[in-house]
Amino acid sequence: MPEPTPTLESLKTCAHECSLGVQLEEVEDMGDMDGSSNSADSEFAFDGYISDNSKFKSDFDDDELWIREVSTVERLNDQFQAEAAARAQIISEEDMDDFEAFNYKVETHLGDNAYRKLSRGFRRLAGHISSIDVLQRRISQLSGVRPRQYKCCINSCCCYTRGYAKLQHCPYCREPRYDRQGRPVKTFNYLPLIPRLKQWFRNPEMVTSLMYRSLFKSSPPDPENPNVDWDDIVDVFNGEHYLSLLDERQTCWPIVIFNYNLPPEIRFHLDNILCLGVIPGLKQAKDSNSFLWPFVEEMLSLAKGVVAFDALAKESFVLHAYVILAFGDIPAVAKLMHMKGHNGHRPCRMCMISGIRIPPPTKVKTLYTPLWRPNGQHYDPLNLPLRNHSLFINQAQFVAAASTDAEEKLRATATGVKGMPVLAELSSLRFPQSFPYDFMHAVWENIIKTLANLWCGDYKKLDDGKEEYSFSKSVWSAI
């Protein structure tokens, strides 16, 4: 028999559940195209899940009401905002000019200086497009999204949040927090997630698209045949970790950038990607946790619930959000997990394999992880000493409990973990299972490029050893 068609009533709850993703990736400082510098060390990336409470349960104490009713005041306030938004469908021509100018600037990646020159280059535009300051202020008012500004170190070592909030000097480089005029030397602009999530639900077409995850069908693995390919992995919701979350008491959440509730064909469109902020460059952050704290704060609020308005169902509801995955390139994920990274003695985030240096006479200090070692030791690739969540958290606590800095460094070297990551406050994440390797970086950006250099004899002056696999220059040229 054909399955019954879902009704609007049966999908009300579904529309309030979605999954998002973001990416953390180290990027070179490109600067603005018109010469101004807007450098970035990182982009953040997480996957997550937004729920109205029908699937996941929170791990808050019982006296913290995690499923709360929408109060009368909240419902009236949200309905007032919805009515105001409906009336705002008719906007002035001036506002429309600002919308079009802002859209053009964003879609063409137009720098601020180039935007300022438009009215001079095209005199008929003078008086029809706002200045950059007025434009940004007006778009902020119309969208309801206002950036939060956090003070940070001039070298981007840390953001003055949590334990750094009252410091007047950077604990890493000792640079002052303020200049002689009492102004912050550098700031980190964070774009709040909650108001943008709520805006998604004010668009009936978007609410319909957001039903993708809740209509997605995934089959549980067969316990009697654990090694059988039980289903095609067609989306993140087929994953073992996601399926396990449906039966556990825990908080888990999404954060921005990629909205997994949307169908795959539109999921990664620029219009559907959110950006939380960019850690200011040019140097790498010494403490990425301090920059992630504003995001974690929002996630904890969303775990308790935030009132939003559903434009499709035309009613208020309590929106919950949870993180289930975090991903990026290897150096970026090392920062998210607060680990030593790919050149540490324990470089792998998935297992406890140890790194070794190339034997003399080379002076290369880079550590490598071959399965077969010069001393006869070897690792079985099918039986590596894997990390798990309990081991990782215990190691993080072990490092954090060190009584001296020297002891902390020794423990971090031995375990590969530098301390407790701030993302560990989100109990839906599992270390390291929630931090999968990114295929694009792992394969296309690293393995393929490295193999090509190795096959051409251009990789760190290494020869063929006992084998013959290098291409001659003529063969490689033909390829």
Side-chain angles (χ1 to χ4, degrees):
M1 294 180 61
E3 296 184 2
T5 303
T7 63
L8 176 60
E9 288 297 318
S10 67
L11 293 177
K12 277 185 179 179
T13 299
C14 300
H16 305 159
E17 303 176 357
C18 42
S19 304
L20 311 173
V22 187
Q23 189 166 351
L24 175 60
E25 175 184 351
E26 294 192 37
V27 295
E28 295 182 3
D29 174 32
M30 301 300 290
D32 204 341
M33 294 183 67
D34 58 11
S36 61
S37 178
N38 288 323
S39 57
D41 288 321
S42 309
E43 299 172 357
F44 293 111
F46 307 87
D47 288 333
Y49 179 85
I50 306 178
S51 169
D52 69 336
N53 73 39
S54 63
K55 294 289 186 183
F56 297 151
K57 292 189 176 181
S58 165
D59 57 358
F60 287 105
D61 295 335
D62 291 338
D63 57 350
E64 287 192 57
L65 192 59
W66 73 276
I67 303 178
R68 61 187 182 88
E69 294 297 330
V70 182
S71 71
T72 303
V73 174
E74 291 172 325
R75 191 181 297 276
L76 289 174
N77 178 62
D78 222 66
Q79 287 177 351
F80 170 78
Q81 293 183 25
E83 292 172 3
R87 290 195 300 270
Q89 294 298 319
I90 304 176
I91 61 176
S92 67
E93 291 186 5
E94 290 78 8
D95 285 339
M96 202 63 212
D97 288 340
D98 285 341
F99 275 131
E100 292 175 350
F102 185 77
N103 188 54
Y104 174 77
K105 184 180 186 302
V106 171
E107 290 193 350
T108 61
H109 307 284
L110 195 65
D112 290 352
N113 289 340
Y115 176 83
R116 293 187 182 98
K117 295 175 182 178
L118 282 177
S119 57
R120 284 181 286 173
F122 303 92
R123 295 185 179 180
R124 285 179 293 180
L125 294 178
H128 292 280
I129 59 174
S130 303
S131 67
I132 188 66
D133 295 331
V134 172
L135 180 67
Q136 291 176 342
R137 187 164 55 249
R138 184 59 181 146
I139 292 299
S140 177
Q141 292 172 346
L142 292 170
S143 66
V145 179
R146 293 176 175 80
R148 297 177 189 168
Q149 201 170 74
Y150 293 86
K151 303 173 184 67
C152 65
C153 168
I154 192 171
N155 293 318
S156 301
C157 296
C158 68
C159 187
Y160 293 109
T161 60
R162 303 186 78 195
Y164 303 132
K166 296 182 179 180
L167 297 183
Q168 299 301 309
H169 291 81
C170 174
Y172 297 97
C173 66
R174 306 305 302 167
E175 289 290 337
R177 178 173 178 170
Y178 300 98
D179 62 17
R180 293 181 179 179
Q181 286 74 40
R183 298 170 299 190
V185 293
K186 184 176 281 189
T187 57
F188 165 57
N189 291 318
Y190 177 81
L191 293 175
L193 176 63
I194 292 175
R196 290 185 282 171
L197 293 180
K198 294 172 70 172
Q199 289 293 344
W200 268 338
F201 287 95
R202 292 190 181 279
N203 184 332
E205 293 182 4
M206 177 61 78
V207 175
T208 302
S209 296
L210 290 171
M211 292 177 183
Y212 166 79
R213 187 210 57 79
S214 46
L215 295 175
F216 183 88
K217 297 185 183 299
S218 57
S219 305
D222 184 354
E224 297 182 359
N225 298 287
N227 297 321
V228 174
D229 185 10
W230 51 270
D231 201 358
D232 292 331
I233 301 297
V234 297
D235 213 328
V236 66
F237 312 118
N238 289 117
E240 179 181 349
H241 176 59
Y242 175 83
L243 293 175
S244 70
L245 291 174
L246 301 181
D247 299 322
E248 299 181 9
R249 284 184 59 87
Q250 58 190 321
T251 357
C252 52
W253 166 176
I255 185 177
V256 328
I257 298 305
F258 306 127
N259 183 355
Y260 281 91
N261 251 51
L262 295 172
E265 58 268 22
I266 64 171
R267 183 179 296 164
F268 302 106
H269 287 187
L270 185 61
D271 293 344
N272 297 324
I273 294 176
L274 304 178
C275 178
L276 291 181
V278 177
I279 297 178
L282 297 170
K283 299 181 180 180
Q284 294 186 11
K286 296 289 194 302
D287 187 351
S288 298
N289 279 346
S290 61
F291 289 95
L292 287 173
W293 179 243
F295 160 68
V296 173
E297 278 189 311
E298 284 203 283
M299 294 307 97
L300 295 176
S301 296
L302 283 163
K304 295 181 180 180
V306 183
V307 177
F309 183 82
D310 185 332
L312 189 63
K314 296 185 175 8
E315 64 179 18
S316 298
F317 69 98
V318 179
L319 173 68
H320 292 267
Y322 310 91
V323 177
I324 59 173
L325 293 173
F327 57 96
D329 60 7
I330 292 176
V333 174
K335 292 180 181 295
L336 290 176
M337 297 179 68
H338 209 38
M339 297 187 69
K340 296 287 286 184
H342 59 285
N343 199 34
H345 180 64
R346 302 283 185 185
C348 180
R349 64 180 184 258
M350 294 296 176
C351 76
M352 290 293 292
I353 192 172
S354 60
I356 60 172
R357 291 182 178 176
I358 299 176
T362 178
K363 296 182 180 180
V364 177
K365 295 182 178 181
T366 305
L367 297 176
Y368 296 90
T369 54
L371 296 177
W372 292 86
R373 309 300 173 96
N375 60 5
Q377 178 191 10
H378 74 277
Y379 287 92
D380 180 356
L382 300 179
N383 190 29
L384 292 170
L386 298 178
R387 298 180 189 264
N388 57 48
H389 183 74
S390 297
L391 175 64
F392 186 94
I393 296 300
N394 287 338
Q395 290 176 337
Q397 293 172 339
F398 173 68
V399 174
S403 56
T404 65
D405 290 344
E407 183 181 4
E408 181 180 319
K409 289 182 179 179
L410 287 174
R411 293 184 177 187
T413 299
T415 62
V417 180
K418 296 196 296 184
M420 189 65 69
V422 69
L423 292 179
E425 302 224 13
L426 307 176
S427 62
S428 60
L429 288 175
R430 290 290 177 268
F431 293 77
Q433 290 86 349
S434 295
F435 298 79
Y437 282 100
D438 180 55
F439 187 83
M440 188 272 287
H441 289 99
V443 178
W444 302 120
E445 283 289 327
N446 288 301
I447 294 179
I448 299 300
K449 185 186 297 183
T450 301
L451 284 176
N453 290 334
L454 187 63
W455 292 333
C456 294
D458 295 331
Y459 185 71
K460 297 183 182 296
K461 299 181 180 180
L462 294 179
D463 56 25
D464 292 4
K466 298 179 181 180
E467 303 174 52
E468 296 181 2
Y469 54 78
S470 293
F471 293 110
S472 66
K473 291 185 178 180
S474 60
V475 171
W476 185 251
S477 178
I479 293 176

